Amino acid sequence: VQELRAENPHTVFAAAGDLIGASTFESFIQQDKPTIDALNAAGLDVSAVGNHELDGGYHDLVDRVLGDFDPEANPYGGAEWEYVAANLTMRATGDDAVPASYISSQGGVEIGFVGAVTEDLPFLVSPSGIEDVEVTDIVEAANAEADALRAEGVDVVVLLVHEGATSSDCAN
């Protein structure tokens, strides 16, 4: 990533989720701290929330993973990138559970990244871990956020969606 950024400084390092949770044993046993550290070192800018980001529940994601690293209070956290999901809202208020989008300015071009997590999330993680959040329609949420970004003057909108396939058959 550093080599690519050296060649082209107007680069955004983006991902579409499942960066943590479904990791190798070496990372999993350490609550994915090695993966968090590696992605920080690589300079990840933004990622959609994937279902595995919520394996430990919503509060684990926002309080531990996205919380500031502290050797005593939060030794397994400290992700320095932004997680986005336009279709993940707080059940009680309807507010965004994580930011819906992320904007990066690259060479005078404003790039808006809209995130979305699979609508199947309630079937993929423990319901008690996400009881405070609601998963809404990907298309409606993403389009609404893209419209809002365009209204703010963003030049380009990129969708980072974490969605699985309905079949393992590559012909479908």
Side-chain angles (χ1 to χ4, degrees):
V1 173
Q2 291 172 350
E3 184 178 316
L4 289 172
R5 281 193 164 146
E7 293 171 12
N8 183 356
H10 304 297
T11 298
V12 178
F13 182 11
D18 278 4
L19 304 175
I20 60 170
S23 57
T24 63
F25 179 78
E26 294 85 357
S27 187
F28 169 78
I29 197 69
Q30 298 176 71
Q31 294 185 301
D32 286 311
K33 183 62 174 161
T35 300
I36 292 168
D37 290 346
L39 290 169
N40 284 343
L44 181 64
D45 295 302
V46 61
S47 178
V49 173
N51 54 287
H52 284 293
E53 270 78 16
L54 296 163
D55 283 347
Y58 169 74
H59 294 287
D60 179 65
L61 174 63
V62 297
D63 297 335
R64 179 185 64 85
V65 175
L66 291 173
D68 292 335
F69 169 77
D70 182 283
E72 292 187 26
N74 191 19
Y76 297 107
E80 296 171 357
W81 62 89
E82 189 78 56
Y83 271 115
V84 291
N87 69 323
L88 197 61
T89 61
M90 299 306 297
R91 192 173 302 280
T93 64
D95 294 338
D96 292 337
V98 297
S101 60
Y102 169 85
I103 299 173
S104 179
S105 181
Q106 299 294 324
V109 176
E110 296 288 310
I111 306 166
F113 293 85
V114 176
V117 63
T118 179
E119 293 170 20
D120 292 329
L121 182 65
F123 307 106
L124 300 173
V125 299
S126 173
S128 65
I130 60 167
E131 64 188 358
D132 294 338
V133 297
E134 182 173 359
V135 181
T136 64
D137 184 84
I138 289 174
V139 174
E140 289 178 22
N143 283 341
E145 186 62 19
D147 289 345
L149 288 171
R150 284 189 204 97
E152 289 180 36
V154 168
D155 300 302
V156 178
V157 176
V158 176
L159 177 62
L160 301 174
V161 61
H162 185 81
E163 184 62 76
T166 58
S167 168
S168 61
D169 182 356
C170 293
N172 288 333

